[in-house]
Amino acid sequence: MGNGLACMPKKENKGSIGRSNRRTGRSQRTLASDEELLHRQALSMAIQHHQLSQRFEGSMSRRINGGSTSRRIGSTSSRRHNFSDPFSNGKQIPDFIENIKIKKFVLVHGEGFGAWCWYKSISLLEEAGLQPITLDLTGSGIDNRDPNNISTLAEYSKPLIDYLQSLPEDEKVILVCHSCGGASISYALELYPQKISKAVFISATMVLNGQRPFDVFSEELASAEVFLQESQLLTYGNGKDKSPTSLTFDKQQIKGLYFNQTPAKDIALAAVSMRPIPLGPIMERLSLTPENYGSVRRYYIQTLDDHMLSPDVQEKLVRENPPDNVYKIKGSDHCPFFSKPQSLHKILLEIAQISEKPIDVTTDCKAVE
């Protein structure tokens, strides 16, 4: 009678039911596989498009990245600093890259994002002769696990921890994180400091010992408790009588918060790719020690036109938990890998060249157009 059920016989053959269930299972697995393939193809196409576009944007890149922005700061002022867009033809590798000892950059995305968000940085780092590694944290990107079932930072960060565990004993990487990805790399710094040469926080939650990642945003969103009570986009995976398990930002909301300087094509990519944010990991207090977390050099990149994590809050973060150096990107929203990819790339190259020898923490900072 219109819904298909009235046409079914009253007696059902168990064998046919089993075959039907197996077909359903195969169908679901096929859909999941197709979805993963689609995301991988989209990322590949985005990288290819960016590489092609670099050939036509060389003159503009030189104007954006030249001039006074090549000045260095603090104890690094005597090091080589010629960053006048060596990437415009998509082929040339700068000579100074040969002097960079750690060439692997592990790029860790923020809340709701995935490995896909780094496609411009992947292209630029590869063109420079470096080795970017991207991964999806649990329940992010093409990792199909339900964000509502991710309750701890250890679960959420497992892909990153597994990667660090797999590294040979004598190999190190540079960790780069965005936004709430700061919690994951802080957790990694505490567990495997010997595997990490440097840690770079991009408008990120650089937390203190005993602090929750969400506490960093508390001044922007009132207290965590009030925010959770007032938000209409929460999912209660364990029932309404329990704490919420994930948060989904409205598409118009994220455009104003995250992408106020981002090109339209990247906003479109984010709109179809962002996933719900598991709340358990960002509500967890981190345990960080000077012997582990404190033994790795940290760098903070501030974004000066950020509506998600305001420049004032970022300034407070670096004041309360001083990194080795601070960089500032003018005109960047919360996502400089979209809005200011060349400026972000130049800073990453500069950080890669800095010696691993311990230095005194400096409060100097450098602004990049």
Side-chain angles (χ1 to χ4, degrees):
M1 299 292 292
N3 60 7
L5 294 176
C7 298
M8 294 174 62
K10 292 183 179 180
K11 291 186 179 180
E12 298 169 338
N13 183 286
K14 292 183 178 179
S16 66
I17 293 174
R19 286 192 294 273
S20 176
N21 287 340
R22 286 194 293 274
R23 284 196 298 271
T24 302
R26 283 195 296 271
S27 176
Q28 289 174 342
R29 287 193 295 273
T30 301
L31 286 173
S33 177
D34 289 346
E35 181 182 358
E36 178 174 344
L37 179 62
L38 182 62
H39 277 279
R40 291 190 185 280
Q41 288 175 335
L43 179 58
S44 176
M45 289 174 66
I47 293 173
Q48 184 182 30
H49 172 79
H50 184 68
Q51 288 173 333
L52 289 172
S53 70
Q54 290 298 302
R55 301 177 185 179
F56 299 99
E57 296 174 358
S59 60
M60 179 62 72
S61 297
R62 280 190 290 273
R63 288 197 294 273
I64 292 172
N65 290 293
S68 62
T69 59
S70 62
R71 292 193 305 272
R72 302 181 63 84
I73 62 173
S75 62
T76 67
S77 58
S78 62
R79 299 180 64 84
R80 185 170 180 174
H81 54 268
N82 182 12
F83 292 103
S84 57
D85 192 30
F87 317 103
S88 58
N89 61 9
K91 298 291 184 182
Q92 182 182 351
I93 296 177
D95 292 339
F96 65 79
I97 295 297
E98 297 301 321
N99 299 323
I100 294 178
K101 293 183 179 179
I102 307 298
K103 291 185 168 58
K104 282 189 177 179
F105 285 73
V106 179
L107 308 176
V108 181
H109 62 81
E111 69 286 352
F113 293 86
W116 54 268
C117 74
W118 297 105
Y119 80 91
K120 293 181 181 180
S121 294
I122 293 170
S123 175
L124 289 167
L125 288 167
E126 286 182 343
E127 288 169 7
L130 299 170
Q131 301 173 46
I133 292 97
T134 58
L135 43 80
D136 290 313
L137 299 177
T138 308
S140 305
I142 60 173
D143 184 299
N144 290 321
R145 278 166 282 192
D146 185 353
N148 294 292
N149 295 331
I150 304 164
S151 58
T152 67
L153 187 58
E155 291 177 87
Y156 183 59
S157 307
K158 190 174 186 300
L160 172 61
I161 301 306
D162 287 348
Y163 174 79
L164 293 175
Q165 283 179 331
S166 72
L167 288 173
E169 284 189 16
D170 60 345
E171 188 171 350
K172 289 186 175 185
V173 298
I174 296 174
L175 283 189
V176 180
C177 71
H178 172 243
S179 202
C180 280
S184 292
I185 76 164
S186 295
Y187 178 69
L189 287 171
E190 184 62 27
L191 290 181
Y192 291 106
Q194 73 279 9
K195 302 277 191 180
I196 303 163
S197 169
K198 303 178 183 79
V200 184
F201 294 76
I202 305 171
S203 55
T205 50
M206 190 170 62
V207 297
L208 295 163
N209 177 46
Q211 191 176 28
R212 300 179 300 180
F214 196 94
D215 291 340
V216 173
F217 295 94
S218 62
E219 291 187 17
E220 306 277 2
L221 302 170
S223 71
E225 289 73 20
V226 171
F227 173 76
L228 293 177
Q229 288 171 5
E230 293 182 351
S231 178
Q232 301 298 307
L233 299 170
L234 295 169
T235 299
Y236 293 80
N238 298 322
K240 278 284 188 178
D241 58 331
K242 300 291 195 310
S243 298
T245 50
S246 71
L247 168 68
T248 305
F249 280 119
D250 176 81
K251 287 184 180 179
Q252 288 304 312
Q253 191 177 22
I254 63 170
K255 184 176 180 180
L257 286 173
Y258 286 87
F259 308 126
N260 48 292
Q261 296 293 340
T262 288
K265 64 181 180 180
D266 293 320
I267 298 176
L269 174 64
V272 298
S273 303
M274 289 185 76
R275 299 274 303 278
I277 304 163
L279 289 174
I282 64 173
M283 294 298 178
E284 184 177 319
R285 297 186 186 279
L286 273 76
S287 178
L288 305 172
T289 63
E291 296 78 18
N292 294 329
Y293 171 84
S295 67
V296 180
R297 302 182 69 157
R298 290 177 290 114
Y299 302 87
Y300 200 94
I301 300 176
Q302 295 181 351
T303 44
L304 300 186
D305 197 10
D306 195 325
H307 292 178
M308 183 63 188
L309 194 64
S310 72
D312 288 343
V313 171
Q314 293 181 49
E315 194 65 40
K316 182 181 178 184
L317 282 178
V318 300
R319 192 167 59 245
E320 293 179 346
N321 189 9
D324 289 279
N325 266 339
V326 174
Y327 299 82
K328 299 184 179 185
I329 303 181
K330 296 178 180 179
S332 173
D333 56 23
H334 192 59
C335 302
F337 42 76
F338 287 152
S339 59
K340 286 286 187 176
Q342 287 279 2
S343 297
L344 173 61
H345 179 65
K346 184 166 60 174
I347 292 171
L348 294 180
L349 287 186
E350 181 167 329
I351 291 171
Q353 293 180 82
I354 298 174
S355 168
E356 287 189 62
K357 294 178 182 178
I359 61 171
D360 293 332
V361 172
T362 174
T363 56
D364 290 340
C365 21
K366 171 182 179 178
V368 177
E369 297 292 344

